Amino acid sequence: MNDAEVLTASAQETIDFAKCFARSLKPGDVLCLEGPLGSGKTTFVKGLAQGLGLKRSERVKSPTFVLMHVYKSKIPLYHFDCYRLSSTEELENIGFEDFVNDAKAISCVEWAGKAKGLIPSHASHIHFEILDAVRRRITVR
Ligand SMILES: Nc1ncnc2c1ncn2[C@@H]1O[C@H](COP(=O)(O)OP(=O)(O)OP(=O)(O)O)[C@@H](O)[C@H]1O
Ligand SMILES: [Mg+2]
């Protein structure tokens, strides 16, 4: 995956960028999504799911309360949110390592900093910055 930096001026622009970005993804990829509350991480995942051909991408919502969602897109998409995690043990209990190392799926991890030690070294990191009410800077590394 190539490094990239984009500025988006609406949630729809973030979705469009993610849809386009999804074309560069292959099974086994892991994306760590970092950035403050409301910076657009879940919005980005919604766009990824659309780009991966998920028919009902309105189902993409923050998994804050359930830790994980699975979307049956062409390439299965695992969506984690570690915001409310109190210890990495909770991730171990749901088999997080098996999911993020699944060579047939793509994994997205919001608040991946809380999953330290469990993220594969080949993961890409995407940073979301809030510039103002509607503008975001998205940096891929
Ligand atoms: N340029 C933009 N890109 C993405 N979202 C935007 C943008 N401008 C405004 N928004 C709004 O900001 C909010 C982003 O919410 P979202 O759930 O995607 O954030 P998040 O980073 O996942 O937050 P959390 O850490 O709480 O899960 C949405 O309400 C969205 O409509
Ligand atoms: Mg979110």
Side-chain angles (χ1 to χ4, degrees), residues 8-11 14 36-43 62 81 110-111 133-134 136:
T8 65
S10 66
T14 294
L37 290 169
S39 57
K41 302 179 294 295
T42 299
T43 303
S62 181
D81 189 328
E110 297 190 39
W111 296 96
V134 292
R136 306 289 187 266

Side-chain angles (χ1 to χ4, degrees), residues 30-136:
V30 178
L31 305 177
C32 294
L33 310 180
E34 329 254 9
L37 290 169
S39 57
K41 302 179 294 295
T42 299
T43 303
F44 181 86
V45 176
K46 192 181 275 252
L48 282 186
Q50 287 180 18
L52 294 172
L54 183 73
K55 294 270 162 24
R56 307 193 57 182
S57 71
E58 73 277 7
R59 290 190 180 171
V60 178
K61 303 225 164 73
S62 181
T64 294
F65 294 100
V66 294
L67 202 53
M68 177 190 188
H69 284 157
V70 176
Y71 307 120
K72 293 180 180 166
S73 31
K74 282 174 195 148
I75 304 172
L77 183 60
Y78 301 149
H79 182 193
F80 297 91
D81 189 328
C82 300
Y83 182 66
R84 280 168 200 276
L85 207 68
S86 40
S87 81
T88 53
E89 204 179 317
E90 289 172 57
L91 288 175
E92 284 158 23
N93 289 344
I94 65 160
F96 179 81
E97 282 182 281
D98 292 337
F99 288 117
V100 286
N101 289 295
D102 184 341
K104 294 195 177 79
I106 292 168
S107 295
C108 297
V109 189
E110 297 190 39
W111 296 96
K114 291 199 172 201
K116 276 205 175 66
L118 299 177
I119 303 289
S121 56
H122 66 79
S124 299
H125 293 263
I126 309 185
H127 293 265
F128 295 79
E129 256 176 274
I130 300 177
L131 302 178
D132 64 24
V134 292
R135 292 185 316 133
R136 306 289 187 266

